[in-house]
Amino acid sequence: MGANTKALKNRIRSVDSTLHTTSAMGLVASSKMRRANQAMNNGKQYVTAYDKVVSVLSSVSECQRSPYMREAGERTKLIVIAGDRGLAGGYNANIFRLVATMQYDQIIPIGKRACDRYKGEFHSSEKYTSMEAIALSRQLCKEFVAGEFDRLGIVYTRYVSMMSQEAEVKWVLPLVKPESVEPISAIFEPDEETILNATVPDYVAGILMACIRESFASEVTARRMAMDSAGKNARAMIDDLQLQYNRARQGAITQEITEIVAGAGS
């Protein structure tokens, strides 16, 4: 019985240590959430403003000659955004599960977990910079114009709410002529096609940064929820183990009393 109480006490100590770890990770995630959400919202506003301009340009008949508006082919390149760390519920797994259902020719991973999985050069999803996004965008646009691939998609995690984040793919290239466009009062010089071609690399970089920021906001939120859930489970487990320990200790004491009484009567 003594060995049983000792094992239970060690188990309680171990689970309590895990509880401290999950609480600390939850606090770190909470501290990052506000900044991550602000960055996500800023990214969305930036892309929304760019979307209006690109939509107007891509609806102009002269712009249909742009290399960015050719028919989409089969050769697909994907930018896959995952986290630098685990312990975020199904955040990383959902991204990899979506990619597994797709056909592609090349993957450009961002985030340590994606880089490890797809054997790419390491790029942090938490610390990815605008300069990195611009450099990658210009390279990809140059390759697209040269006909080295036909479609560019970004696999990222869309932030729905505190309780829900969904993995999805955003198709970036080629540009698609919009069905309807809200008119804007602007004059493009020297001409619409030249402006569109010059705009696309920065536009793609903006979309990439917005997807990375939204993915990171989803990641820290998912980690906060996962750590909260793990903490609740740990506390419930400690309560159950404490109850087992008390029963085992009571049983050991009862057995010792019984043995003493039996010895005294003999």
Side-chain angles (χ1 to χ4, degrees):
M1 189 68 72
N4 189 33
T5 56
K6 185 176 181 180
L8 286 169
K9 197 168 185 178
N10 289 337
R11 180 66 173 150
I12 290 171
R13 207 175 281 123
S14 174
V15 176
D16 186 60
S17 176
T18 301
L19 176 59
H20 285 296
T21 300
T22 58
S23 297
M25 292 185 68
L27 288 173
V28 171
S30 296
S31 70
K32 291 181 178 181
M33 280 175 58
R34 182 175 181 180
R35 189 174 69 244
N37 286 336
Q38 183 63 50
M40 174 183 68
N41 292 330
N42 290 342
K44 286 183 176 181
Q45 292 174 9
Y46 180 85
V47 171
T48 298
Y50 243 122
D51 271 336
K52 292 180 180 179
V53 176
V54 172
S55 293
V56 169
L57 289 169
S58 58
S59 66
V60 177
S61 58
E62 288 78 4
C63 288
Q64 306 310 304
R65 299 190 299 266
S66 169
Y68 294 111
M69 298 198 66
R70 67 170 185 258
E71 290 292 327
E74 297 298 323
R75 295 171 300 169
T76 300
K77 187 170 290 194
L78 296 177
I79 299 173
V80 177
I81 304 168
D84 290 342
R85 305 173 186 83
L87 298 177
Y91 172 76
N92 291 311
N94 291 338
I95 284 290
F96 300 147
R97 194 176 297 118
L98 174 58
V99 173
T101 66
M102 303 176 65
Q103 293 186 348
Y104 54 86
D105 295 278
Q106 183 185 356
I107 283 180
I108 300 173
I110 296 176
K112 186 176 186 304
R113 292 306 172 101
C115 295
D116 289 346
R117 188 179 185 91
Y118 302 113
K119 311 301 180 187
E121 181 183 350
F122 173 64
H123 292 282
S124 170
S125 56
E126 179 178 355
K127 299 177 180 179
Y128 202 82
T129 66
S130 299
M131 294 303 295
E132 288 178 288
I134 291 171
L136 177 58
S137 173
R138 288 176 178 171
Q139 175 192 335
L140 291 174
C141 287
K142 182 178 179 180
E143 293 173 357
F144 182 82
V145 170
E148 295 182 24
F149 66 94
D150 301 315
R151 286 201 306 170
L152 176 64
I154 301 176
V155 183
Y156 75 111
T157 303
R158 181 169 62 90
Y159 184 96
V160 180
S161 68
M162 277 282 293
M163 303 299 294
S164 177
Q165 302 84 37
E166 298 178 356
E168 66 177 41
V169 58
K170 180 186 290 289
W171 295 108
V172 181
L173 294 176
L175 300 178
V176 178
K177 182 179 180 180
E179 295 182 1
S180 60
V181 178
E182 181 180 344
I184 62 173
S185 54
I187 298 175
F188 298 98
E189 294 288 348
D191 58 76
E192 288 85 348
E193 183 183 355
T194 301
I195 298 298
L196 177 64
N197 292 341
T199 299
V200 170
D202 288 337
Y203 175 60
V204 172
I207 293 176
L208 175 57
M209 281 304 301
C211 288
I212 290 173
R213 287 170 174 170
E214 188 165 359
S215 291
F216 182 65
S218 298
E219 179 188 357
V220 294
T221 301
R223 182 169 293 112
R224 162 68 188 279
M225 301 306 295
M227 292 303 99
D228 283 353
S229 178
K232 290 177 183 177
N233 292 338
R235 282 187 284 271
M237 187 178 293
I238 288 173
D239 291 342
D240 183 58
L241 289 169
Q242 190 67 54
L243 181 60
Q244 293 181 45
Y245 173 79
N246 292 339
R247 286 174 178 172
R249 188 165 177 272
Q250 184 178 8
I253 294 171
T254 301
Q255 183 177 351
E256 289 176 5
I257 293 173
T258 302
E259 290 173 353
I260 292 170
V261 171
S266 57

